[in-house]
Amino acid sequence: MSGWILLPVLLPVLAGACMLGSSAVSKWKGRPQPDAASLRRLHLAVCGVLSVSAVLALLAAWSGEHEVTLFYLMKDIPVYFRIDEIGRLFVTVISIVWVAVGIYSCVYMRHEGEEKRFFGFYLIVYSVLIALSFAGNLVTMYLFYELMTLASMPMVLHNGSREAIMAALKYLFYSMCGAYMGLFGIYFLYQYTDTLTFTAGGTLDMTRAAGHEGVLLVAVFVMLLGFGAKAGMFPLHAWLPTAHPVAPSPASAVFSGVIVKCGVLAAIRTVYYVVGPDFLRGTWVQTVWMTLALLTVFMGSMLAYREPVLKKRLAYSTVSQISYILFGLALLTPTAMSGALLHVVFHAFIKAALFLTAGIFIFGCGKTRADELTGIGKQMPGTLWCYTFASLALIGIPPASGFISKWYLAQGALEAPVGAFRWIGPVVLLVSALLTAGYLLPVVMRGFFPGASWRGMSAEDTAVRTERDGGNCVAQTSGDAPAGMLVPLAVLAALTLLLGVFPNPLISFVSKIAEAVM
């Protein structure tokens, strides 16, 4: 009876495979690029499959406790799906972002070409992410974690340039190395746990672990370091700023908003559902984990502040912001974990919105650098307002959503028995917030207030002036981005504000998760 939860996994992967097959056949037969009518049918098919798959995924996630076994890797290690609260949270966030970005992509990918191939992999990755969220044990999670890397790599090398190929190989190398470090830890945990099935509070058998605590701590640390590669934690963070500038903007949006969170999910599952927070509390593993997370927060913010290319700036920002989440998890307290889970949700919507905005600037005006966007508010007011709302949320200015999660993270640090990290953590988060304002708000200021020499100019004159000053601006002088791009962006930007104004249901939900695993 629970087998129907396979539908949101099977539907997009089958549709994606069909699109890839169709694309390969067209190339083999030397057919010309699809005409406008064919592309419209493709876009309708993509939006339809995404919408139906998302509805099925949300129904499966929120309709109660279900599980289904796929096969047995060993007699005591099934590969199976089981729905729990963390899975529900991640499936919901993934589905909202994936549908919004998918709709946006139907317009944007005209700029990139090879749409069938892109959407084929886009649907397959969504399927893998749903399976990863539904994973019922550590082995199942690992299998889909690896598959996610392989399925998402083609989205990085989409344009086929030398830079894209090298960035994709770098992403693959870092991700595979991190995954193998995770696999190393799984071998050890299998020896000292009652089961690898995810259980709130952990399944470590302290009787079997007695006398082997040192080895187990090393194994857990190696796992956290490995899964931290996907999450962009120092020292395995370098793939992010390399991959984002060359990938299509929709790919950047889902990588930064969703895929990096899979490293966070793997860390949560390992620490809170297998090892147990009590085993790590007060150990050198907790100390080093907090240190690496805070170092990454500060380093990512500084690099973003100094970076002129907008997409690369946002990539460094992701490096910093994901380590907010990792720091909250490393504190091992309910308040801090609640803050970390809140930031998982808020950052997904915020960063997806920011990358979609960067994509509109590229699509409409051919601009990639932040200093080229002077006066862009006259041409694209709606787009820049969405960027502004998302920026305020990421900085953490109330009532935007980022303020809520950062408040819980700072409060969790002050409450935690972690020595000097009680105050070092909030100080680093505050400095990072100031740097975030420093690298996001100048775009807003120059976009809306370009200076006295621009004052009183019409949108048409602004376009001409922008082109003369380094643009190649091809934006429609009559207004903003096409509705197919602007509406999904506006929905994500609205969520960054609404979740800050009405946060109580989400706070209650994540607080129950945090209390259960502690």
Side-chain angles (χ1 to χ4, degrees):
M1 292 296 292
S2 297
W4 69 276
I5 67 174
L6 295 174
L7 289 177
V9 176
L10 293 176
L11 177 59
V13 75
L14 292 175
C18 289
M19 288 183 187
L20 291 177
S22 174
S23 176
V25 169
S26 296
K27 285 185 176 297
W28 179 60
K29 292 187 175 181
R31 292 175 182 168
Q33 291 296 317
D35 57 19
S38 298
L39 287 178
R40 280 196 297 272
R41 289 194 294 271
L42 173 65
H43 297 157
L44 286 173
V46 169
C47 292
V49 171
L50 272 178
S51 300
V52 172
S53 299
V55 170
L56 290 173
L58 293 174
L59 287 174
W62 293 96
S63 62
E65 302 292 334
H66 300 286
E67 61 179 72
V68 58
T69 300
L70 303 180
F71 61 91
Y72 279 84
L73 189 65
M74 297 174 62
K75 65 177 182 179
D76 57 341
I77 303 181
V79 173
Y80 82 115
F81 296 150
R82 185 169 65 87
I83 297 171
D84 64 1
E85 300 299 324
I86 282 288
R88 291 188 179 97
L89 181 69
F90 274 80
V91 164
T92 303
V93 172
I94 290 168
S95 297
I96 293 172
V97 172
W98 220 263
V99 171
V101 176
I103 295 171
Y104 171 101
S105 302
C106 291
V107 179
Y108 182 89
M109 290 309 296
R110 300 173 192 166
H111 172 80
E112 298 281 347
E114 296 291 347
E115 294 179 59
K116 277 189 179 180
R117 188 180 69 201
F118 175 84
F119 285 120
F121 283 111
Y122 189 81
L123 291 172
I124 290 172
V125 175
Y126 177 65
S127 170
V128 175
L129 290 172
I130 297 301
L132 179 64
S133 302
F134 283 169
N137 62 20
L138 204 53
V139 171
T140 306
M141 184 199 76
Y142 178 80
L143 292 176
F144 286 102
Y145 188 88
E146 286 275 48
L147 186 57
M148 173 194 59
T149 297
L150 298 175
S152 59
M153 186 187 72
M155 295 168 65
V156 177
L157 55 78
H158 180 79
N159 67 28
S161 66
R162 183 181 183 278
E163 293 79 8
I165 293 171
M166 296 307 295
L169 290 174
K170 190 172 187 178
Y171 166 62
L172 181 65
F173 175 76
Y174 274 76
S175 297
M176 297 297 280
C177 284
Y180 289 147
M181 293 168 77
L183 183 61
F184 169 83
I186 292 173
Y187 286 138
F188 281 91
L189 291 182
Y190 177 64
Q191 317 260 345
Y192 301 108
T193 54
D194 296 323
T195 175
L196 293 178
T197 297
F198 296 136
T199 305
T203 62
L204 197 62
D205 187 337
M206 297 310 299
T207 303
R208 276 190 277 174
H212 304 281
E213 291 86 354
V215 174
L216 273 171
L217 287 173
V218 171
V220 173
F221 177 70
V222 169
M223 292 181 75
L224 292 174
L225 203 60
F227 292 138
K230 188 72 74 182
M233 185 178 73
F234 179 86
L236 299 176
H237 65 286
W239 69 269
L240 266 164
T242 303
H244 280 302
V246 298
S249 289
S252 297
V254 294
F255 266 87
S256 238
V258 171
I259 290 178
V260 293
K261 304 295 192 313
C262 295
V264 172
L265 177 60
I268 292 173
R269 292 300 200 185
T270 299
V271 171
Y272 290 95
Y273 288 83
V274 178
V275 176
D278 291 339
F279 183 74
L280 298 182
R281 196 172 284 118
T283 65
W284 66 268
V285 173
Q286 183 185 22
T287 301
V288 175
W289 193 15
M290 289 188 294
T291 302
L292 290 176
L294 289 177
L295 176 63
T296 310
V297 168
F298 180 74
M299 177 196 67
S301 296
M302 281 297 300
L303 292 172
Y305 183 77
R306 294 166 57 88
E307 177 56 52
V309 177
L310 183 56
K311 284 181 68 179
K312 199 168 183 178
R313 178 181 292 187
L314 296 177
Y316 280 125
S317 172
T318 296
V319 169
S320 175
Q321 295 291 324
I322 298 301
S323 280
Y324 278 60
I325 300 168
L326 296 177
F327 176 66
L329 297 176
L331 289 168
L332 304 176
T333 65
T335 302
M337 186 181 182
S338 296
L341 293 177
L342 288 170
H343 209 59
V344 166
V345 178
F346 301 154
H347 179 265
F349 301 143
I350 292 168
K351 193 52 64 73
L354 290 173
F355 269 108
L356 295 190
T357 304
I360 289 176
F361 294 149
I362 294 170
F363 180 90
C365 294
K367 296 179 181 296
T368 59
R369 294 171 59 93
D371 56 9
E372 295 174 340
L373 297 173
T374 302
I376 199 71
K378 276 184 170 287
Q379 296 169 262
M380 298 181 167
T383 300
L384 193 57
W385 273 114
C386 290
Y387 175 91
T388 303
F389 293 146
S391 297
L392 295 176
L394 193 64
I395 295 165
I397 297 176
S401 56
F403 171 75
I404 306 294
S405 56
K406 293 182 180 184
W407 176 273
Y408 271 76
L409 288 169
Q411 188 68 27
L414 293 171
E415 294 175 357
V418 289
F421 286 98
R422 293 179 67 250
W423 60 269
I424 293 176
V427 168
V428 171
L429 298 186
L430 178 60
V431 171
S432 175
L434 294 174
L435 289 170
T436 303
Y439 63 73
L440 290 179
L441 292 185
V443 174
V444 178
M445 299 302 295
R446 285 195 293 263
F448 281 128
F449 309 105
S453 63
W454 292 66
R455 197 167 295 139
M457 294 174 63
S458 66
E460 291 82 358
D461 291 337
T462 302
V464 172
R465 170 84 175 260
T466 305
E467 182 177 2
R468 187 193 70 200
D469 291 349
N472 295 325
C473 189
V474 294
Q476 298 170 347
T477 58
S478 60
D480 225 306
M485 301 173 79
L486 192 57
V487 171
L489 171 61
V491 169
L492 292 172
L495 284 172
T496 67
L497 292 180
L498 291 174
L499 289 173
V501 176
F502 305 104
N504 287 341
L506 182 58
I507 292 173
S508 176
F509 183 76
V510 299
S511 296
K512 289 178 182 177
I513 295 175
E515 292 291 344
V517 299
M518 295 293 171

